[in-house]
Amino acid sequence: MATRPFDVDGSPFFVAEGIFAAEIVAECRRRGLLAGAYALRRPRGATFLRRLARDLAEQRKAPGVLLRRGLTLLRAEPAVLRRQTGLGAEAARAGEVLRGVAALLAGHPRRP
């Protein structure tokens, strides 16, 4: 795995997103940098349909391949969420995450 420096000086927060973001939760917590860590919990069927529609529109692969891949990801999603929460992220719906981040920003003015 590659590493690179990441400078957040002057910023009250940073957001790490994506399937691997939970990998840094423990280290951020250890360094006192963790304000919150969330794993997005969405309805699996809706995620499957959004992903399939996007991939079909972009013609990423043959439709049959996209359908099989989508079904595989649909079945794997609970395990992915369990892994992320096991790494310290809190499972939350999108609205909960947005409200939590808004509350954090409201309580911390920007620094120069």
Side-chain angles (χ1 to χ4, degrees):
M1 179 180 349
T3 61
R4 62 181 173 194
F6 181 66
D7 182 8
V8 293
D9 286 343
S11 298
F13 302 103
F14 71 94
V15 175
E17 67 87 30
I19 194 165
F20 298 110
E23 301 286 339
I24 65 171
V25 169
E27 183 63 18
C28 288
R29 182 174 284 125
R30 186 186 74 73
R31 292 181 184 210
L33 299 174
L34 190 68
Y38 304 100
L40 198 55
R41 185 178 60 218
R42 289 186 162 159
R44 291 170 47 205
T47 300
F48 167 77
L49 291 174
R50 274 194 303 272
R51 182 184 293 127
L52 183 60
R54 178 202 65 201
D55 291 349
L56 287 170
E58 294 178 4
Q59 300 179 343
R60 292 175 175 228
K61 292 184 173 42
V65 172
L66 294 173
L67 186 60
R68 285 190 301 278
R69 177 183 172 270
L71 290 171
T72 299
L73 292 171
L74 174 76
R75 287 189 288 271
E77 194 168 321
V80 170
L81 189 59
R82 278 193 306 275
R83 182 172 189 285
Q84 290 173 330
T85 57
L87 290 169
E90 173 188 344
R93 297 200 181 282
E96 296 169 316
V97 173
L98 291 173
R99 285 188 296 278
V101 171
L104 287 170
L105 289 172
H108 291 83
R110 282 189 163 318
R111 292 182 289 181

